C-alpha cells in the first residue's frame, strides 16, 4: 500500500524549497523502499533548485543518504528489509559493453526506480539523481542500495553517497595516487577535502591544498594536507612548483570546475603528470590551451565522475576504514539539521563555512 511521507520539494527555478506530502508507492520488481536516516545537503541539490541540471520540476531533492531498507519488490536479492544501506546513483546494469568488459564503474546503462513518487494530487516528482532522499522514505532501484556495517553513523556513512566518495575516488581511483607521490588539490570544499583524505589514504608524501579561504585550508591541513596555498595572495602554479622542487605535482586534482582553475591544474603538474577534473563545470564553460603544451607535457588529463567508484566495492571498504578509525568521515559533518532547515543550509553554502550540513530524520 502506498505511503504518504514528508519530503523537500523544489517547485520552480530559484524558488525556496518547501516541505510537502509525497506519495511513495510499494516497490515494484527490482525496487526498494528505504527509510531515510540521514542525507547530506550537496551543491548538486542546489543546482537542481536553480535549474542548473534540467527543468523537470518539481524535484524531490536529496541524494547523499543512508538508511534502512523497509521493503523490496519481486526479484530483489541484493538487499533485504532491515539492511542498513548507503544510497548510490550508479546502479550498474551488468549487461552493457562497459560491464561486460569488466569495467562496471563506467556502466553506460545505470538505472533508477521505474515507478514515480508523486505529490498527493498525482503530480510526478523528479528525484534528485534518481534518489530523492530529503524525505522520510524514498523509492529507489534495489541496485542503488549498498549494504554496509550497520554500526556506522548514518550521518557520516551517507556522505559516501556523493561528495566524499567523489573526492576520495578522484585521488585513489581516477588519479591513481601512489605511495610517495606529490598531490595538489585545488578547491577545498567537501569534495576537495575528501580528495586530500584520499591522497593521504593512498600514501602520498606531499599533499598541497589550494583555496582562497584560510578556514578551508585549515580544515584541509587537519585532514592530511602537508602544505597549504592561499591563491588570493600567491600564484598557485608557482607555489606548487616551489613545493615540488620546481617540477610540479605528480597528480593535480581540480575540485572547483572552472576554466581558470583547470588551467592552473594543467600547468601545476609535473611532466607526464596527471590532471583530474572532479569539480563540475557549467555547460557554457570552455578552456583554451595551446595544443603544443597538451602534447609536449604528456601525462594524462582525466575527468572523474563519482570518483570512478563502484559502490559495491568501495562503500563497504571505506566504511571498514571508518570503523577502524583510519577514515574520519565524522569530520565532514559540520552540522546536523532537520528537513525544514534545508533552505537555510543552501544559504550557508554561499558563506563557505560548512563541509556538509546533514539532515537527520
Amino acid at each position: 500500500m502506498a505511503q504518504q511521507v514528508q519530503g523537500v520539494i523544489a517547485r520552480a527555478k530559484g524558488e525556496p524549497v518547501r516541505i510537502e506530502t509525497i506519495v511513495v508507492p510499494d516497490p515494484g520488481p527490482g525496487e526498494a523502499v528505504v527509510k531515510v536516516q540521514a542525507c547530506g545537503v550537496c551543491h548538486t541539490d542546489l543546482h537542481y533548485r536553480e535549474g542548473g541540471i534540467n527543468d523537470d520540476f518539481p524535484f524531490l531533492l536529496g541524494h547523499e543518504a543512508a538508511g534502512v531498507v523497509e521493503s523490496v519488490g519481486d526479484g530483489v536479492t541484493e538487499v533485504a528489509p532491515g539492511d542498513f544501506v548507503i544510497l548510490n546513483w550508479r546502479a550498474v546494469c551488468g549487461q552493457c559493453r562497459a560491464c561486460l568488459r569488466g569495467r562496471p564503474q563506467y556502466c553506460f546503462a545505470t538505472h533508477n526506480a521505474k515507478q514515480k513518487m508523486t505529490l498527493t494530487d498525482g503530480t510526478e516528482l523528479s528525484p534528485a539523481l534518481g534518489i530523492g532522499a530529503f524525505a522520510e522514505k524514498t523509492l529507489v532501484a534495489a541496485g542503488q542500495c549498498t549494504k554496509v556495517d550497520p554500526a556506522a553513523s548514518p550521518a557520516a556513512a551517507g556522505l559516501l553517497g556523493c561528495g566524499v566518495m567523489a573526492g576520495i575516488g578522484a585521488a585513489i581511483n581516477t588519479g591513481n595516487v601512489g605511495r610517495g607521490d606529490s598531490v595538489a588539490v585545488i578547491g577545498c570544499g567537501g569534495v576537495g577535502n575528501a580528495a586530500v583524505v584520499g591522497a593521504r589514504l593512498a600514501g602520498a608524501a606531499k599533499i598541497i591544498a589550494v583555496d582562497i579561504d584560510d578556514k578551508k585550508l585549515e580544515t584541509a591541513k587537519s585532514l592530511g594536507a602537508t602544505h597549504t596555498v592561499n591563491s588570493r595572495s600567491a600564484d598557485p602554479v608557482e607555489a606548487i612548483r616551489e613545493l615540488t622542487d620546481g617540477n610540479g605535482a605528480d597528480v593535480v586534482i581540480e575540485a572547483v570546475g572552472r576554466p581558470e582553475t583547470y588551467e592552473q591544474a594543467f600547468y601545476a603538474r609535473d611532466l607526464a603528470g596527471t590532471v583530474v577534473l572532479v569539480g563540475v563545470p557549467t555547460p557554457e564553460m570552455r578552456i583554451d590551451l595551446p595544443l603544443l603544451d597538451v602534447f609536449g607535457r604528456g601525462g594524462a588529463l582525466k575527468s572523474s565522475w563519482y570518483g570512478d567508484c563502484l559502490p559495491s566495492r568501495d562503500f563497504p571498504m571505506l566504511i571498514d576504514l571508518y570503523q577502524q578509525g583510519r577514515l574520519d568521515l565524522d569530520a565532514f559533518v559540520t552540522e546536523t539539521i532537520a528537513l525544514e532547515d534545508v533552505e537555510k543550509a543552501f544559504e550557508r553554502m554561499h558563506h563557505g563555512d560548512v563541509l556538509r550540513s546533514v539532515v537527520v530524520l
Side-chain angles (χ1 to χ4, degrees), residues 27-327:
E31 297 176 341
V33 170
V34 175
K35 186 179 187 302
V36 179
Q37 294 180 318
C39 184
V41 183
C42 175
H43 274 86
T44 302
D45 293 304
L46 182 57
H47 289 328
Y48 272 106
R49 194 201 73 174
E50 295 301 307
I53 307 293
N54 57 54
D55 59 357
D56 294 334
F57 292 94
F59 292 112
L60 172 58
L61 299 182
H63 62 277
E64 199 176 65
V68 174
V69 176
E70 181 179 86
S71 57
V72 298
D74 291 342
V76 173
T77 58
E78 309 97 305
V79 291
D83 285 347
F84 178 61
V85 296
I86 299 172
L87 299 182
N88 72 77
W89 42 273
R90 180 171 279 173
V92 301
C93 73
Q95 299 298 321
C96 71
R97 60 192 186 279
C99 287
L100 293 176
R101 292 174 69 190
R103 301 172 182 172
Q105 67 270 29
Y106 299 125
C107 177
F108 298 121
T110 57
H111 55 283
N112 303 318
K114 292 182 178 178
Q115 297 184 87
K116 289 286 190 179
M117 293 178 279
T118 68
L119 297 174
T120 53
D121 64 3
T123 301
E124 291 188 347
L125 295 168
S126 299
L129 290 177
I131 293 177
F134 285 153
E136 294 164 326
K137 298 178 184 181
T138 191
L139 176 77
V140 295
Q144 293 179 274
C145 301
T146 305
K147 184 178 177 180
V148 297
D149 187 342
S153 159
L159 300 186
L160 291 177
C162 189
V164 172
M165 184 69 254
I168 291 176
I172 294 176
N173 296 332
T174 315
N176 293 314
V177 173
R179 294 186 298 275
D181 281 351
S182 58
V183 178
V185 178
I186 299 178
C188 295
V191 173
N193 273 319
V196 167
V197 170
R200 179 179 57 79
L201 286 172
K206 189 169 290 185
I207 304 171
I208 305 163
V210 180
D211 203 279
I212 59 174
D213 186 327
D214 284 331
K215 289 187 294 184
K216 291 182 178 180
L217 291 173
E218 283 302 312
T219 300
K221 202 163 186 179
S222 72
L223 291 170
T226 58
H227 300 79
T228 60
V229 176
N230 188 316
S231 53
R232 280 194 190 278
S233 55
D235 180 330
V237 175
E238 291 304 316
I240 291 168
R241 285 179 176 169
E242 287 175 10
L243 289 167
T244 54
D245 301 320
N247 300 316
D250 296 309
V251 180
V252 184
I253 298 169
E254 200 277 63
V256 180
R258 294 193 58 84
E260 314 92 278
T261 44
Y262 187 86
E263 183 173 342
Q264 291 169 356
F266 179 81
Y267 286 109
R269 68 184 175 129
D270 195 359
L271 289 173
T274 298
V275 173
V276 176
L277 174 65
V278 67
V280 181
T282 54
E284 75 280 359
M285 291 180 177
R286 298 289 186 273
I287 56 173
D288 182 6
L289 292 169
L291 193 57
L292 184 60
D293 285 358
V294 175
F295 172 77
R297 298 182 67 81
L301 306 178
K302 297 182 175 183
S303 58
S304 183
W305 189 62
Y306 205 0
D308 286 337
C309 78
L310 183 59
S312 60
R313 174 195 65 197
D314 294 338
F315 289 4
M317 176 267 292
L318 292 172
I319 288 297
D320 283 348
L321 292 178
Y322 169 61
Q323 296 292 76
Q324 295 166 21
R326 297 166 61 192
L327 171 59

